[in-house]
Amino acid sequence: MISEVLIVPMRMKLSYRVLLRRKVLFFETILGSTNPILLSDCVLAGFSRKLVYRGWSWGRKGLSMEGDGAKGLACQKTLDGKASNGNKAVPSCCLKAMSCLPEEDAKCHSTVVSGWFSEHSRSGKKGEAVYFNNPMWPGEAHSLKVEKVLFKDKSDYQEVLVFESATYGKVLVLDGIVQLTEKDEFAYQEMIAHLPLCSTPSPKNVISLTLKVLSLWLPFVMIEAQCAYLFSVRVLVVGGGDGGVLREISRHSSVEVIDICEIDKMVIDVSKKFFPELAVGFEDPRVQLHIGDAVEFLRKSPAGKYDAIIVDSSDPVGPALALVEKPFFETLARALKPGGVLCNMAESMWLHTHLIEDMISICRQTFKNVQYAWSSVPTYPSGVIGFVLCSTEGPDVDFKNPINPIEKLDGAMTYIREMKFYNSDMHRAAFALPTFLRREVASLLASSS
Amino acid sequence: MISEVLIVPMRMKLSYRVLLRRKVLFFETILGSTNPILLSDCVLAGFSRKLVYRGWSWGRKGLSMEGDGAKGLACQKTLDGKASNGNKAVPSCCLKAMSCLPEEDAKCHSTVVSGWFSEHSRSGKKGEAVYFNNPMWPGEAHSLKVEKVLFKDKSDYQEVLVFESATYGKVLVLDGIVQLTEKDEFAYQEMIAHLPLCSTPSPKNVISLTLKVLSLWLPFVMIEAQCAYLFSVRVLVVGGGDGGVLREISRHSSVEVIDICEIDKMVIDVSKKFFPELAVGFEDPRVQLHIGDAVEFLRKSPAGKYDAIIVDSSDPVGPALALVEKPFFETLARALKPGGVLCNMAESMWLHTHLIEDMISICRQTFKNVQYAWSSVPTYPSGVIGFVLCSTEGPDVDFKNPINPIEKLDGAMTYIREMKFYNSDMHRAAFALPTFLRREVASLLASSS
C-alpha cells in the first residue's frame, strides 16, 4: 500500500547554509584538513571558543540566546539532548545546522527508501536503524510520501531531487531541503513577489498627466492632452531559478525588464522539465536570464538600476556566502533606485526569532524603512515563512497598505494563471505580528514607517 | 543520541471522528457485526454505493469533490494511491479518516518506540516494517521526538498520552492526535477565546451611563450620577478540558460566569498534573465545571443564557456524535442571547476546504452572521487552524474589527500570564482569506456582515 517515503527536512533557504559552509571552510583552515568536518564534533572537541574569538557573526547578540521574554520560543537550547550552560552557548538549531555539511546533504537521496526515514544515525547500534531528522530542526520532521523519484542529480552547486509525492504533487528538493511543492508553491511565490511590487506605485497608472491648455490661436478652445510617461521599471530576482517568482512579477504590466540572476542552471532546466507551471515565468519576453553569482552581478550593475529586488536564494554557495551579511545588503541598496524596495525571504517566526532580529537589525543599518511580514506555507518548517521588506532613502514606501493593489491592475489576477493566495487583504494581514514576535522586533521596527 | 520518536498524526479535532463513528455504527448495522470494520475495506468490498444511497451527509455537495476552481487544493482524490473515478467518490481524506477507528487509535501508543514510526501496515510483508501516517492526512506526517512518556492511560472515552518532546515541551495526545504542545498552545487558546470575546462589547465598559439631573430643591445645582449597570456576562466552553481556553477567558473582567462542560475528567486531571500553565484556568472562581455531555447540558440550559460559547471539543464521542450537524448548532444558537457569539474550531484551509464550506453552510442556516478566521499553529496539520464565528439575531456583531480591544481592557494582557499571540492586529488579520479559500466561501459569507 505504501511504497516509498521520504522524511524531508523542512525548508530553510537562506542564512544557515551560508554560515554552515563558512564554518566548514574555517575549520578546514584551522585543522588543515580537506575533508568535511562535522562542526558539532569540532565544538565538542573544544574549538567552539575559537569560533567566538574569531568573531564569526552569529547574530546581533553574538552567540547569546534570547532573553526570558521569548521563553519557550527561543531556539532549542539543547545540544544533543543536553541543556547548554550559560548565555554564550550556540543555539543547537544553529549548531546542528552547521553539522549539516553539503557532503552530508548528498546522502539525503538515500532517504528515499521503503518506510519513513531519512538517514542512519552514527550512534545507532550495528544492525539497528535509528532514524533522525535534518539537524536544522531538531526534534521534529515533516514527512512526505514519495510515489516516484523523477529526477536525481548533482549540479556544480547542490544535489537536485524531484519526486512525485502522494498528496502535494511534484516536489523540488535541493540539498535535502524542500524548495517547493506543486500544492502550496503559490503561497510563497505570490507573497514574495507582490508584497514588494504592490507596495510601489505602478508608473503606468499614476504617472498619467492630463494637460489642459487654452489654445493660442483659438482662445475659446480647450486642448486636452494626456501625457502618460512610462518609467522603465526594472525588477531583479536573485535566485528563483524555478521561475515561480518570474511568473508572478509578469502580472505587473508596468514592469519593463525582469532580470534574474540564478547560479545553478540545473535548477532552471529541471523546473522547465518538471514544473511547467512555474517555469512558464521564463517565457515572458521581459525576462533576461543571467546564470551566475548574484553578488558579482550586482557589483557590475549601475547604481540605482532597479525599482525592486526580490531575493529568492535557494542555497547560497561560493561567492554568495555573504548573502546574509551587511555588505550584501549594501550592494542591494546601491542597486536600487531612491525609494526602491527589497523583499528578502526571512525565516520562520516560530523557530528562529533571533535570526529574524538579526536580519532586521542588519537591514536597518542600510535601509530607510524595514518591515517584517509572514505567510502560511504548509511545507515549510512550522508552516510559515517570513519576509523582510526594505526601502531605500527616497520617496516613502508604506509596505503595510498596498498603494498598487493587484485587484486594480488590468488582467493581473488572471495573467498566465489565476492567482490563488495573495490579495490586498492578505497583503495587509501579512504585517500583523503575533505578540511574541512583536515584543522581539518592535524596537527594531519602531522608527520605520 | 536519539532515544524515542513518535510520528504523531496531525490534529483534527472535530468533524471527522463523528463521521467516522457514525459510519462504523452504520456498517455494524448492515453487516450485523459488532467488530469494528475498516470502512476502506467495506468500500472496496462494494458497499460504497450504499453509503450514498442511504444519504449519509458527507457535506453540502454530498459526496462530490470540489470543482476545478480548487484544483490542487481539493481533498486527496486518491484511494490507496489510485485515482477515483467520477464526482461521487468519497474524498480519500475522509475515507481514510473513516478507517481510523477508535480501536485503531488505541494502538497509537505503540508508536512511541525507537525510531521514527507510527504503526505497522497490514500490507507489509512478514518481518518487514512498513510505516505509515495517521490516515487522516495521507501522504504526510509531522513527527516529534519523544524524550520521555509521562502518562499513558485509557479513559472511558479515549486514550490519553502525555510525553515530553525534545523541542516542543510537553505534548498532550488524545486518541493518537496531538491536542497541544507547550511551545505553541497559546496561539490556539488565545485566538479561539479572544476572537469571539473581543468581538462583543464589554458591558462594564460600555454600559456606563452618566445621568445629569437638575436638582429640584436647589434649581441651580446640577446633580451628576453615574450608573454603571453590569450585565451578568456568561461564557460557555464546550470541551476545553485542558483549561487553556478558561485561562484566556479569565482575562475578561466583564465575564461573571464561565461554565465549562467537558466530558472526560481524565483530560482535566492530566492537565492539572502535567500542564499547570493551562490548568491554571480552572482556578478562577468564576469557573463552574460540569463533567458531562455538552449536548445534554445545553438542552437543560435556559434559552438565551450565554453571551458567548466557545466549542473546543477535542474528540466528540457518544452523545456528542451530532456536534457538527445542524441540530447542534441550533442548540447552541438557542443557548445564546440575542447578538450572542459562537466560536467553533473549523479545520485547516489547506487540507479540507470542502469541510469548511460545509460548516459555514450549516451555520448560515441558523445564525445571522457567519465569518471564517484562521491562525498559524505549527503542530496542527498544515500549520494552521481555522475558526467559524457566528452571531445570533440581535445586535449586529462585526467580527472583523474588535469592538472590545484586548489592549484597552485593564490588566488583560498580563492577567495570570502574559499574552503571547493574540492582539487586535492579529484579530483583524485572521479574517483575511487566501484567494483560493475566498473563492470557495465567498458566496456563503457574502450576506454576512
Side-chain angles (χ1 to χ4, degrees):
Chain A
M1 195 166 92
I2 302 292
S3 54
E4 292 188 321
V5 174
L6 168 70
I7 286 197
V8 285
M10 301 185 207
R11 168 174 173 159
M12 184 61 58
K13 293 184 85 178
L14 199 60
S15 58
Y16 307 104
R17 288 179 178 279
V18 176
L19 296 169
L20 152 69
R21 296 186 190 200
R22 173 163 292 188
K23 297 297 179 191
V24 173
L25 291 173
F26 170 65
F27 275 107
E28 283 180 355
T29 306
I30 63 167
L31 295 177
S33 163
T34 54
N35 294 325
I37 297 153
L38 284 175
L39 188 71
S40 56
D41 295 342
C42 299
V43 171
L44 291 171
F47 286 99
S48 58
R49 287 292 168 201
K50 293 190 182 180
L51 275 177
V52 182
Y53 298 149
R54 291 285 284 263
W56 291 89
S57 61
W58 277 103
R60 200 170 53 87
K61 295 177 181 173
L63 291 163
S64 65
M65 297 299 298
E66 292 167 343
D68 286 337
K71 190 189 166 197
L73 296 165
C75 270
Q76 317 309 337
K77 296 188 182 183
T78 57
L79 165 59
D80 293 337
K82 297 179 183 66
S84 54
N85 296 320
N87 286 331
K88 291 292 176 188
V90 181
S92 75
C93 58
C94 309
L95 192 62
K96 294 201 176 195
M98 292 186 286
S99 74
C100 182
L101 303 178
E103 287 74 9
E104 289 292 298
D105 292 342
K107 294 179 186 168
C108 286
H109 290 173
S110 67
T111 64
V112 186
V113 295
S114 294
W116 299 86
F117 74 95
S118 49
E119 41 190 353
H120 287 234
S121 163
R122 296 168 188 195
S123 62
K125 291 175 189 169
K126 197 177 176 185
E128 179 192 336
V130 181
Y131 314 116
F132 60 91
N133 186 26
N134 177 284
M136 274 304 302
W137 303 278
E140 63 175 318
H142 187 228
S143 315
L144 296 177
K145 184 185 166 198
V146 180
E147 292 290 341
K148 190 180 179 185
V149 173
L150 301 172
F151 181 86
K152 199 168 106 176
D153 202 353
K154 192 164 185 172
S155 75
D156 292 341
Y157 304 98
Q158 55 205 339
E159 285 249 337
V160 181
L161 168 70
V162 179
F163 68 87
E164 182 73 45
S165 71
T167 53
Y168 277 80
K170 287 197 277 287
V171 181
L172 174 65
V173 183
L174 298 181
D175 275 351
I177 297 178
V178 169
Q179 300 299 307
L180 60 90
T181 81
E182 283 185 317
K183 178 166 177 171
D184 66 359
E185 56 86 9
F186 57 81
Y188 174 77
Q189 315 284 4
E190 292 182 15
M191 292 298 274
I192 201 171
H194 303 304
L195 282 176
L197 296 183
C198 293
S199 294
T200 50
S202 169
K204 276 191 179 169
N205 292 336
V206 299
I207 312 299
S208 174
L209 304 174
T210 300
L211 303 176
K212 294 186 179 184
V213 189
L214 281 177
S215 170
L216 293 175
W217 49 277
L218 271 175
F220 304 106
V221 175
M222 180 78 82
I223 296 178
E224 190 170 314
Q226 200 170 57
C227 169
Y229 177 71
L230 301 183
F231 282 112
S232 173
V233 176
R234 288 175 176 266
V235 180
L236 170 66
V237 178
V238 173
D242 53 62
V245 174
L246 300 177
R247 179 192 70 204
E248 296 307 316
I249 297 170
S250 300
R251 297 183 191 276
H252 295 257
S253 59
S254 62
V255 174
E256 308 259 311
V257 173
I258 311 171
D259 281 328
I260 175 168
C261 188
E262 163 65 55
I263 203 164
D264 193 346
K265 189 172 177 295
M266 188 182 282
V267 173
I268 300 168
D269 295 341
V270 159
S271 186
K272 286 181 175 174
K273 185 168 182 184
F274 297 104
F275 300 94
E277 289 212 350
L278 289 124
V280 68
F282 284 104
E283 292 171 18
D284 193 293
R286 294 169 290 177
V287 170
Q288 295 181 4
L289 173 61
H290 310 267
I291 304 285
D293 168 28
V295 175
E296 201 58 38
F297 178 83
L298 277 161
R299 280 200 194 113
K300 289 178 182 168
S301 296
K305 183 178 180 184
Y306 295 103
D307 298 80
I309 300 178
I310 295 167
V311 180
D312 178 25
S313 170
S314 60
D315 193 11
V317 288
L321 276 174
L323 273 197
V324 289
E325 300 205 341
K326 200 183 168 201
F328 180 62
F329 288 107
E330 287 171 344
T331 310
L332 290 168
R334 179 189 154 275
L336 284 167
K337 283 181 183 165
V341 293
L342 165 70
C343 185
N344 209 111
M345 191 287 294
E347 328 295 354
S348 156
M349 62 191 184
W350 285 102
L351 297 172
H352 300 107
T353 45
H354 67 294
L355 288 165
I356 294 171
E357 280 184 271
D358 291 345
M359 193 178 279
I360 293 173
S361 182
I362 291 169
C363 290
R364 285 286 300 160
Q365 296 169 37
T366 305
F367 291 93
K368 176 186 175 187
N369 181 11
V370 180
Q371 295 295 339
Y372 189 82
W374 65 276
S375 181
S376 159
V377 185
T379 55
Y380 289 171
S382 77
V384 299
I385 193 83
F387 310 97
V388 163
L389 288 130
C390 311
S391 65
T392 54
E393 290 289 345
D396 286 338
V397 176
D398 176 10
F399 284 114
K400 296 184 181 180
N401 297 294
I403 191 174
N404 187 25
I406 198 93
E407 294 86 356
K408 292 190 178 171
L409 302 182
D410 277 350
M413 300 282 284
T414 53
Y415 186 72
I416 298 180
R417 75 171 201 185
E418 276 199 334
M419 288 183 72
K420 295 185 180 180
F421 196 86
Y422 177 92
N423 54 57
S424 290
D425 285 346
M426 290 299 286
H427 182 121
R428 283 181 284 267
F431 292 89
L433 304 186
T435 306
F436 72 83
L437 182 61
R438 189 189 268 186
R439 282 196 193 109
E440 297 297 317
V441 301
S443 60
L444 298 173
L445 299 176
S447 52
S448 297
S449 68
Chain B
M1 196 166 92
I2 301 292
S3 55
E4 291 188 321
V5 174
L6 168 72
I7 286 196
V8 284
M10 300 186 209
R11 167 175 173 160
M12 183 62 58
K13 293 183 84 178
L14 199 60
S15 58
Y16 306 103
R17 286 179 179 282
V18 176
L19 296 169
L20 151 69
R21 297 184 190 203
R22 173 161 292 188
K23 297 296 178 191
V24 173
L25 291 174
F26 170 65
F27 275 106
E28 282 180 355
T29 306
I30 63 167
L31 295 178
S33 163
T34 54
N35 294 325
I37 296 152
L38 284 176
L39 188 72
S40 55
D41 295 341
C42 298
V43 171
L44 292 172
F47 286 99
S48 58
R49 285 294 168 200
K50 293 191 181 179
L51 275 177
V52 182
Y53 297 145
R54 291 286 284 264
W56 291 90
S57 60
W58 278 105
R60 201 171 52 89
K61 295 177 181 173
L63 291 164
S64 65
M65 297 299 299
E66 293 168 343
D68 288 337
K71 190 189 167 195
L73 296 165
C75 271
Q76 316 309 337
K77 296 186 181 183
T78 57
L79 166 59
D80 294 336
K82 296 180 183 65
S84 54
N85 297 320
N87 286 330
K88 290 292 177 189
V90 180
S92 75
C93 58
C94 309
L95 192 63
K96 295 202 174 196
M98 292 187 284
S99 73
C100 181
L101 303 178
E103 288 73 8
E104 290 292 298
D105 292 342
K107 293 179 185 167
C108 286
H109 291 171
S110 67
T111 64
V112 186
V113 296
S114 294
W116 299 85
F117 73 95
S118 49
E119 43 190 351
H120 288 231
S121 163
R122 297 170 188 192
S123 62
K125 292 175 188 170
K126 195 177 177 186
E128 179 193 335
V130 181
Y131 313 117
F132 60 91
N133 187 26
N134 177 284
M136 275 303 303
W137 302 277
E140 63 175 318
H142 186 228
S143 315
L144 296 177
K145 183 185 165 198
V146 179
E147 292 289 342
K148 191 180 179 185
V149 172
L150 302 172
F151 180 87
K152 198 167 110 176
D153 202 353
K154 192 163 185 172
S155 74
D156 292 340
Y157 304 98
Q158 54 205 340
E159 285 249 337
V160 181
L161 168 70
V162 179
F163 68 86
E164 182 73 46
S165 71
T167 52
Y168 276 80
K170 287 197 276 286
V171 181
L172 174 65
V173 183
L174 298 181
D175 274 351
I177 297 178
V178 169
Q179 299 301 307
L180 60 91
T181 81
E182 284 185 316
K183 180 167 177 170
D184 65 359
E185 54 87 7
F186 57 83
Y188 174 77
Q189 315 284 4
E190 292 183 15
M191 292 299 274
I192 200 171
H194 303 303
L195 283 176
L197 297 183
C198 293
S199 295
T200 51
S202 170
K204 276 192 180 170
N205 293 334
V206 299
I207 312 300
S208 176
L209 305 173
T210 300
L211 304 175
K212 294 187 178 182
V213 189
L214 280 177
S215 169
L216 293 173
W217 50 277
L218 271 176
F220 304 106
V221 174
M222 179 79 82
I223 296 178
E224 192 170 313
Q226 202 170 56
C227 169
Y229 177 71
L230 300 184
F231 282 115
S232 173
V233 177
R234 287 176 176 265
V235 180
L236 170 66
V237 178
V238 174
D242 54 62
V245 174
L246 300 177
R247 180 191 69 204
E248 296 306 316
I249 296 170
S250 300
R251 298 182 191 276
H252 295 258
S253 60
S254 63
V255 174
E256 308 260 312
V257 173
I258 310 171
D259 281 327
I260 174 168
C261 188
E262 163 66 54
I263 202 163
D264 194 346
K265 188 172 177 296
M266 188 183 284
V267 173
I268 299 169
D269 295 341
V270 159
S271 185
K272 286 182 175 172
K273 185 168 182 185
F274 297 103
F275 300 94
E277 290 212 350
L278 289 126
V280 68
F282 285 103
E283 293 171 17
D284 194 294
R286 294 169 290 177
V287 170
Q288 295 180 6
L289 173 61
H290 310 268
I291 304 286
D293 168 28
V295 176
E296 201 57 38
F297 178 84
L298 278 161
R299 281 199 194 114
K300 290 178 181 169
S301 295
K305 183 177 180 185
Y306 295 103
D307 297 81
I309 300 178
I310 295 166
V311 180
D312 179 25
S313 169
S314 60
D315 192 11
V317 288
L321 275 174
L323 273 196
V324 289
E325 300 206 340
K326 200 181 168 203
F328 179 63
F329 288 107
E330 286 170 346
T331 310
L332 290 168
R334 179 188 154 276
L336 284 167
K337 285 180 183 166
V341 293
L342 164 71
C343 184
N344 211 109
M345 190 285 296
E347 327 296 353
S348 154
M349 62 191 184
W350 285 102
L351 296 173
H352 300 107
T353 45
H354 67 294
L355 288 165
I356 295 171
E357 281 183 89
D358 291 345
M359 193 178 279
I360 294 173
S361 181
I362 290 169
C363 290
R364 285 285 300 159
Q365 295 169 39
T366 306
F367 292 92
K368 175 186 176 188
N369 181 11
V370 181
Q371 294 295 339
Y372 189 82
W374 64 277
S375 180
S376 158
V377 185
T379 54
Y380 289 172
S382 77
V384 299
I385 193 82
F387 310 97
V388 163
L389 289 130
C390 310
S391 64
T392 54
E393 290 289 345
D396 286 338
V397 176
D398 177 9
F399 284 113
K400 296 183 181 179
N401 298 293
I403 191 175
N404 187 25
I406 198 93
E407 295 85 356
K408 291 190 178 172
L409 302 181
D410 277 350
M413 299 283 284
T414 53
Y415 186 72
I416 299 179
R417 76 171 200 184
E418 276 199 334
M419 288 183 71
K420 295 184 180 181
F421 196 85
Y422 176 92
N423 54 57
S424 289
D425 284 346
M426 290 299 286
H427 182 121
R428 282 181 284 267
F431 292 89
L433 304 186
T435 305
F436 71 83
L437 182 61
R438 189 189 268 187
R439 282 196 193 110
E440 298 297 318
V441 300
S443 60
L444 298 173
L445 299 176
S447 52
S448 298
S449 66

